[in-house]
Structure formats: structure tokens, C-alpha cells
Amino acid sequence: MTKHYGTGELLTHAYMSSEDAELSRHVAECDACGRRLAAVRSELERHAANEMSPEKSETFWKRQELAVMRAIETRNRRALGIPTQIAAAAAVVFVVTAFLAGRGSVSSAPDMTTSPTATVASVETNATAVATQENGLTTRQITTDPWQSEQLEDFQNVVDWESWVEADEKKRGTI
Amino acid sequence: MASLRLITRDDGPSDRDLIDQTLGGDQAGFALLVSKYQRRIYRMAFAIVRNEADADSITQDAFVTAYVNLAKFEGRSEFETWLTRIAINKCRDQLRGRKWKLIPIGPAAGDDEAPSLDVADERPNAEREIISAQIGQAIERAVESLSAQQKVIFRLRHFEELPLEEIATLLDLAPGTVRAHLFRAVHKVRKELEPWAAANAAAGEAE
Ligand SMILES: [Zn+2]
């Protein structure tokens, strides 16, 4: 009696795109197994198709796009807002230091733009400014993490990522 | 003239153009990237996390992360591949953190009520219905016991029908590693099919 293949073996064959020559030859010659392999494949496709997400409307896609762009805009505003205060503090520190050193020259605060490159740079400026401030003046310290503030709660994932970058940079000793 | 128009229509800004536009400070470029890839990313996220709200949120999150890291994108892979990797990582994180609900358990091995798959049955519809019931239930039960990584691989293969090599590229894994994970996942599905396999074997012997 010819050995037929079980559904499990046919299932593995269907998923793994296996090159089992014996199985391939058998299913090509055996009607029962060939029929069952076709049924397994077709059932896998049917199951996958039935479990797909329902078709979404154009409104859904537009809303999603707007949500992404709004999150980016909010993030950029935050990058411009919070670090601007720090950058202003850094500028003050620089002016005071320059004045005390008798140089008397004045430098403007770092330019802040909203491009992703500038955003990364502004975060680094932020960290540097805090370090300078701590080293130069002991009167004012920033002890809270702005990423963890209530206002930024909705952007927890981004905050997590930023924290990860910071931790990584700390490891490399750049912060 | 017609062919010239066709070329003009298809010759929209490349992903690199849109990335450069974004890095230059014009977010309209990024909005075009979102609009171009959001359907694919959502579809893939849904295939993995199996929940519309999560898929939506992961899609949005993936784009924001891509935007934040855009300056680091070096173009060693396609932007789409890079973006898909970001989304898959988020899906995996989501699966790792998720409490899965238990799926009601179907017939156990040796259960008398397990439907038998009679290979000698000449009624294609009856056979088809049995296979259908077996596979659907087996997949749903088996997937619950997979690791997050195995779930990602299995679902990309099952729902998106991606070739193993493409899954390997997306996950940045060796094809052999993906094959091993998928094999373990399929093995679990097969374990769930054992009640029917046993009945099938009995039917075969009786033939
Ligand atoms: Zn056979």
C-alpha cells in the first residue's frame, strides 16, 4: 500500500516551500494527496483572506496622515519650545562668562529650525547647555525630565526612544 | 506625445527627493511619504498584531519614529524596507507586552469527537470543510503559544504570504534563522492538528 502524506506534512510543505522531492513526486501522482495539498493551500489562503483587516475608507487614511503630521508638528514645536529656554539660558551663561573673562563679545543663541536634523541637534544643545550651566553656575539646576512631563504624556513612545538615545549617548560619554 | 505624458505622470518625486525635501525643513515631503506607504504599513501591522486600533497606532508611531531618525537614514536599503523594519519592531514590542486572551480549546488528542479526515472520501466539499475547520482552529490555538518573534515570522508568512528571504531581510535575520523559527511555528500548528492526524491515520489503515 502506498504511504499517503498527512495534513501536517502537507501543511509544512505549503509553508516552508520545501524541496522535498519525494513528497512533490507523490502529490503529483497521488490524486488523494494532490487534492489534499491543494485544499490545504487554498484553506491557508482563505483563512488569511478572511482574517484581513476590513477595507478602510479614504477618510481613515487622511485622518491617519493628519495624525502623523500633527504629532510631528507638536514634536517640532516642543523641540523649539523647551530647548529654546535652555538655549536662552546657555546664551546668558555664555554672555556672563564672556563678560567675566573680559572679552565683552556677545553670541546669539543657537539657531533652531524644525527639520529632523536640527531637532536632533537641538536636543544635543539642550544637554550641553544643562552641563555648562551646572559647571558654570550653581544657582539654577534643571532637575525634572521634560520628556516625562504631563504635556508630553501622549508621546510616550517618542519619549521612550529619546530616553534610549540619551542612555546610549551617556554610555558613549557624549552627555 | 502620449508616451511622454505617461513618463511625466509616473516620474513623481523619488523617496530620496521626498526625504531630502523633509530634511530641508519642508514637511510636505514627509506627508507624501506617509500617504505613499501608510496602507502597506498598516496592513502589515494588522497582519502581525491582529487588532485595528493597535495597527493604526503602530503605523502612526512608525512614521513619527522614521521622521525623528530621518537624518540617520543612509539609504543602504530602500526607505520602504527601513520603514517596514521600524514598524515590525514596534509590532514585536506590542506582542511582547500584550496579554493574550485564551482561545476556547477544541477537541483534544484522542477525543472521540475529533472529526476524521478520510482520505478515501470522494466528496470534495466534505473533505474541504473538515480541512477548513482543522486548519483555522489549529492556527489560532498554535499561534497563542508562539514567542513574539515566532508570531511575527509566522504571521508575515501566513497573512502577508511573504517569502522567507523577504522576511529575513525585513527582520535583519539570516534566512536560516527565519526558516528555523517558522519551522517551529508550523510544528506547533501541526501539533494542534494531531487529533485529526491520528484519525486520518486510522482511516488510512482501515482503507
Ligand atoms: Zn497519497
Side-chain angles (χ1 to χ4, degrees):
Chain A
M1 189 184 80
T2 315
K3 175 198 173 276
H4 292 291
Y5 284 91
T7 308
E9 289 163 300
L10 298 173
L11 185 86
T12 303
H13 183 69
Y15 272 122
M16 306 297 296
S17 313
S18 70
E19 291 160 3
D20 184 335
E22 198 183 323
L23 191 152
S24 299
R25 198 167 44 245
H26 179 88
V27 293
E29 290 168 357
C30 172
D31 279 350
C33 288
R35 201 172 61 232
R36 279 191 301 120
L37 177 61
V40 165
R41 283 197 168 128
S42 156
E43 184 51 35
L44 292 177
E45 283 168 17
R46 198 178 71 90
H47 183 268
N50 283 351
E51 298 292 320
M52 273 313 296
S53 167
E55 197 71 22
K56 296 293 181 191
S57 68
E58 277 308 308
T59 316
F60 172 86
W61 299 117
K62 196 68 205 166
R63 180 201 57 75
Q64 188 181 68
E65 182 193 325
L66 288 174
V68 170
M69 297 316 291
R70 212 165 36 234
I72 286 171
E73 200 181 308
T74 308
R75 195 184 182 287
N76 281 341
R77 266 208 309 270
R78 182 194 63 196
L80 282 171
I82 296 170
T84 299
Q85 294 168 356
I86 309 290
V92 169
V93 169
F94 183 77
V95 169
V96 170
T97 311
F99 177 77
L100 291 175
R103 284 192 279 159
S105 64
V106 175
S107 172
S108 61
D111 178 39
M112 296 292 177
T113 65
T114 55
S115 74
T117 321
T119 302
V120 172
S122 72
V123 171
E124 286 167 359
T125 305
N126 174 1
T128 312
V130 171
T132 307
Q133 192 175 28
E134 284 172 352
N135 291 338
L137 298 172
T138 51
T139 49
R140 185 178 167 194
Q141 287 190 337
I142 295 168
T143 52
T144 55
D145 180 0
W147 304 112
Q148 304 297 332
S149 71
E150 207 174 293
Q151 295 92 322
L152 302 178
E153 211 171 36
D154 291 344
F155 302 94
Q156 196 58 48
N157 288 328
V158 178
V159 173
D160 285 347
W161 181 85
E162 291 286 1
S163 305
W164 173 74
V165 166
E166 192 182 317
D168 189 45
E169 286 181 351
K170 266 181 186 159
K171 225 183 298 171
R172 298 203 314 261
T174 54
I175 291 182
Chain B
M1 269 308 177
S3 63
L4 181 66
R5 250 200 330 269
L6 184 66
I7 289 166
T8 307
R9 197 165 53 228
D10 290 348
D11 200 20
S14 67
D15 288 355
R16 189 68 249 180
D17 292 340
L18 296 173
I19 290 165
D20 290 342
Q21 187 183 340
T22 309
L23 291 172
D26 181 0
Q27 289 176 20
F30 198 75
L32 285 172
L33 286 169
V34 174
S35 150
K36 186 173 176 184
Y37 292 116
Q38 63 185 157
R39 286 165 180 79
R40 169 163 166 72
I41 296 297
Y42 174 85
R43 181 193 153 103
M44 196 215 53
F46 181 83
I48 298 173
V49 299
R50 318 299 307 150
N51 175 294
E52 289 183 47
D54 289 343
D56 183 19
S57 146
I58 284 168
T59 304
Q60 292 182 32
D61 205 13
F63 277 110
V64 174
T65 302
Y67 175 85
V68 168
N69 290 282
L70 204 55
K72 294 179 193 166
F73 174 67
E74 292 168 351
R76 277 182 301 202
S77 60
E78 294 292 322
F79 173 74
E80 184 181 1
T81 306
W82 183 69
L83 176 66
T84 307
R85 278 184 188 153
I86 293 173
I88 288 177
N89 283 337
K90 290 183 183 296
C91 289
R92 196 168 33 212
D93 290 347
Q94 170 80 13
L95 291 178
R96 281 180 180 140
R98 175 178 284 181
K99 299 279 181 288
W100 287 87
K101 67 177 190 301
L102 291 171
I103 300 277
I105 296 171
D111 195 326
D112 287 344
E113 288 173 10
S116 68
L117 177 62
D118 185 355
V119 292
D121 192 338
E122 293 302 317
R123 296 167 301 163
N125 288 341
E127 182 178 75
R128 175 63 186 272
E129 278 171 26
I130 293 166
I131 287 182
S132 171
Q134 288 175 33
I135 290 180
Q137 287 177 33
I139 287 172
E140 279 159 31
R141 285 211 305 269
V143 165
E144 293 306 306
S145 66
L146 300 179
S147 71
Q149 181 80 304
Q150 286 170 354
K151 274 187 188 123
V152 168
I153 291 169
F154 179 78
R155 285 172 171 165
L156 284 174
R157 180 80 180 125
H158 180 73
F159 292 111
E160 292 292 284
E161 294 175 17
L162 296 184
L164 294 179
E165 294 72 23
E166 194 174 339
I167 297 173
T169 302
L170 290 174
L171 297 177
D172 207 13
L173 291 173
T177 307
V178 170
R179 177 169 279 274
H181 277 300
L182 181 63
F183 188 80
R184 281 196 288 272
V186 173
H187 182 73
K188 283 181 178 169
V189 177
R190 285 182 59 170
K191 289 282 280 182
E192 292 294 338
L193 284 170
E194 272 177 3
W196 291 283
N200 181 21
E205 278 165 22
E207 217 178 321

